[in-house]
Amino acid sequence: MSGSELCFLTLAGQASLVRRREVSPVEVLASVLRQIERLDRRVKAYITVMSDSALAAAQAAEHEIAQGHYRGPLHGLPLALKDLIHTEGVRTTAGSKIMRDFIPGEDATAVTRLKQAGAVILGKTNMHEFAYGSTNVNPHYGTVRNPWNDQVLPGGSSGGSAAAVAASMCSAALGSDTGGSIRMPAAFCGITGFKPTYGRVSRHGVVPCAWSMDHVGPLAKTAEDAALVLAAIAGWDPKDPASSREPVQDYMAQLEQDVAGLRVGVLREYTVDPVMPEVEAAFRRALGVLRELGLKVEEISIPETKYAVGASNAILLTEAASYHEERLRSRAGDYGEDVRSRLELGLFVSATDYVKAQRVRRLLIEKFQNVLRRYEAIVCATEPITAPGFDQEVILFDGLAEPRSQALVRHLRLFSLIGLPAVSLLCGFASDGLPIGLQIAAAPFADGRVLQIAAAYQKSAPWHLQAPPAAKSQS
């Protein structure tokens, strides 16, 4: 394999070559930097590329490995970070004008753990301002473009991280997910995006959106790659009050276990709602693959699911407005118009509505706890549609019109609201070449189970091996 092709390998593939000293971390980094130079003027996945410090870290990793001090599968590989994750001495903008010049004095806990695993921090990825939107149209740092088709949304708010992974401009990336912000861009950009259990990964040093729904997790080419990153960053952190002491599983060992016999529930509420026909067809084919793997696939119904979006809206609006309240008074004009309007709306959510939303959350947690005593996982389409155009504000389902903002979160908010681990992975393409996502969720701290089923699916249905044509084009 030529050096220029190293960027197209999975993280696990790169790690295998580095571990055997067939290639060096410096060669992997050079391949990725060439890809950034070639593509990112158009894609705009990055706000800051840390070329010099990344090269120094790659050279240090090369020296360590040559001396026999191999730290593990992330050692020497370039990872990107959503630009709301603190990096010591490197600006962290949260995609905003307000934080344009903010330079943290310490790394976020997740970054510290990546560095301890030997990862090379490559750069900070573009995002919807303050993680509060789904388009990744950013008035301050430019619009992120979907590598599969630059006329459609990449999804948000972790769109820069997803686009960077899809276009092979990093080995993997971290994003954040409050209402679907890892899984949506993973689905639209055709990659694997994993939202861990709430409290599984520390959020210390991460600019909040809504504290009781925020999660940090990996975006990668495969479930295996996501497991490798999760293994490095998971675990209790005394600096995050919501961090859990639940023991961290051996995710890589669980990937090797047989999935035959596991019971999977198909959430009926997300199959009877309007869904694009090609998404429905791809989802049904994915269920067929799961059955061929020996999983027992059955339809389940939890009618209360319909309350998830409304409850999550009340909580998200309130908590986001609370965090930004002082700045809204003093610097309202420095926010992008779409983010400012949502934040101001949150100031008018009553305490009563917030409490009612928390009661709905508790009800949903109890309902899903009961179901997940009988089923090892729940599956549904990640999105009811493929990536819409930037100007497509309304989605039509057989003549039924739905606001885009509502359609995009309909299958996502539930698992953020109740904190379950959930992954989106590629399960096919529409006739126009746009990716379609499959979503798998499981019980709290069954993160390994989610990744196990996802990895088994990818071995049998290797859609993930396909890359955006523009990513490999030499033009």
Side-chain angles (χ1 to χ4, degrees):
M1 170 173 288
S2 69
S4 63
E5 296 176 314
L6 289 172
C7 64
F8 301 121
L9 296 177
T10 63
L11 183 151
Q14 293 170 346
S16 179
L17 294 175
V18 169
R19 178 179 55 81
R20 299 197 305 267
R21 302 188 202 175
E22 294 181 19
V23 302
S24 76
V26 173
E27 289 176 297
V28 176
L29 177 63
S31 179
V32 170
L33 287 174
R34 282 192 293 269
Q35 192 76 339
I36 293 172
E37 175 65 24
R38 191 170 67 84
L39 294 178
D40 204 43
R41 282 188 294 271
R42 179 60 177 167
V43 178
K44 296 190 182 301
Y46 283 93
I47 291 176
T48 302
V49 178
M50 300 155 55
S51 303
D52 293 342
S53 62
L55 177 58
Q59 290 170 335
E62 181 178 55
H63 178 73
E64 284 187 354
I65 294 167
Q67 297 298 312
H69 304 302
Y70 182 65
R71 301 195 204 180
L74 300 190
H75 200 175
L77 298 185
L79 271 66
L81 309 170
K82 186 175 182 178
D83 201 24
L84 49 56
I85 300 173
H86 288 194
T87 40
E88 182 181 3
V90 178
R91 69 173 182 163
T92 298
T93 71
S96 70
K97 178 180 179 180
I98 287 171
M99 295 181 64
R100 182 184 294 275
D101 299 317
F102 171 61
I103 299 178
E106 66 173 357
D107 287 329
T109 297
V111 178
T112 298
R113 291 177 176 175
L114 288 178
K115 288 181 176 179
Q116 289 170 345
V120 171
I121 305 304
L122 173 60
K124 312 297 289 294
T125 56
N126 203 349
M127 54 181 285
H128 206 107
E129 182 181 5
F130 282 116
Y132 208 14
S134 57
T135 67
N136 261 114
V137 175
N138 188 305
H140 314 296
Y141 303 98
T143 296
V144 178
R145 299 286 173 175
N146 191 320
W148 290 93
N149 180 335
D150 63 12
Q151 299 304 304
V152 302
L153 298 182
S157 62
S158 305
S161 290
V165 171
S168 295
M169 293 191 286
C170 60
S171 298
L174 292 189
S176 67
D177 189 312
T178 306
S181 289
I182 287 175
R183 292 160 290 147
M184 181 197 302
F188 287 166
C189 292
I191 62 167
T192 301
F194 182 67
K195 182 195 76 65
T197 301
Y198 183 77
R200 178 73 296 171
V201 175
S202 172
R203 298 154 318 154
H204 173 70
V206 179
V207 179
C209 183
W211 69 268
S212 73
M213 290 170 58
D214 288 344
H215 305 68
V216 172
L219 295 103
K221 290 180 177 176
T222 68
E224 179 184 17
D225 289 356
L228 291 171
V229 176
L230 181 64
I233 63 176
W236 177 68
D237 176 18
K239 296 179 179 179
D240 180 356
S243 178
S244 174
R245 292 179 181 267
E246 183 77 16
V248 177
Q249 300 166 282
D250 185 340
Y251 302 120
M252 297 310 296
Q254 190 160 359
L255 290 190
E256 301 303 320
Q257 296 176 11
D258 190 359
V259 297
L262 298 181
R263 297 185 68 187
V264 174
V266 179
L267 195 54
R268 183 176 185 274
E269 282 67 30
Y270 290 163
T271 61
V272 298
D273 279 350
V275 177
M276 179 177 157
E278 289 184 287
V279 170
E280 173 71 11
F283 175 63
R284 293 299 169 185
R285 288 193 296 270
L287 294 182
V289 172
L290 296 180
R291 291 188 178 97
E292 291 171 2
L293 288 167
L295 287 93
K296 299 177 181 178
V297 180
E298 303 170 1
E299 185 177 271
I300 62 172
S301 178
I302 306 177
E304 293 83 1
T305 295
K306 65 185 177 183
Y307 302 124
V309 172
S312 68
N313 279 341
I315 293 169
L316 175 55
L317 284 167
T318 304
E319 293 181 2
S322 175
Y323 174 72
H324 288 275
E325 185 174 10
E326 184 177 337
R327 285 172 174 160
L328 280 172
R329 291 196 177 105
S330 61
R331 301 186 63 179
D334 288 337
Y335 287 92
E337 182 179 353
D338 67 320
V339 172
R340 184 180 67 250
S341 64
R342 279 193 291 275
L343 289 171
E344 290 174 342
L345 180 62
L347 296 173
F348 295 95
V349 178
S350 70
T352 301
D353 287 339
Y354 183 78
V355 171
K356 286 179 180 177
Q358 294 289 6
R359 289 175 177 167
V360 170
R361 170 188 261 174
R362 172 48 55 187
L363 172 66
L364 287 168
I365 288 172
E366 292 172 354
K367 292 290 183 180
F368 277 84
Q369 281 177 340
N370 289 334
V371 166
L372 288 167
R373 292 189 183 101
R374 294 177 284 119
Y375 292 89
E376 279 77 24
I378 295 171
V379 296
C380 61
T382 310
E383 290 282 354
I385 57 174
T386 55
F390 285 95
D391 297 327
Q392 190 177 346
E393 298 286 348
V394 174
I395 309 298
L396 296 178
F397 298 96
D398 291 330
L400 176 66
E402 181 178 18
R404 182 181 68 189
S405 58
Q406 178 175 308
L408 292 184
V409 301
R410 191 167 7 113
H411 291 186
L412 299 172
R413 286 286 185 86
L414 169 68
F415 301 122
S416 294
L417 177 67
I418 63 177
L420 300 185
V423 69
S424 177
L425 60 153
L426 181 61
C427 71
F429 293 90
S431 56
D432 58 5
L434 293 178
I436 297 170
L438 169 68
Q439 185 170 207
I440 305 170
F445 301 103
D447 301 67
R449 180 71 76 200
V450 172
L451 293 168
Q452 175 195 6
I453 296 171
Y457 175 84
Q458 288 178 332
K459 288 179 182 177
S460 294
W463 295 104
H464 60 282
L465 297 180
Q466 300 189 49
K472 291 198 172 185
S473 170
Q474 296 304 308
S475 58

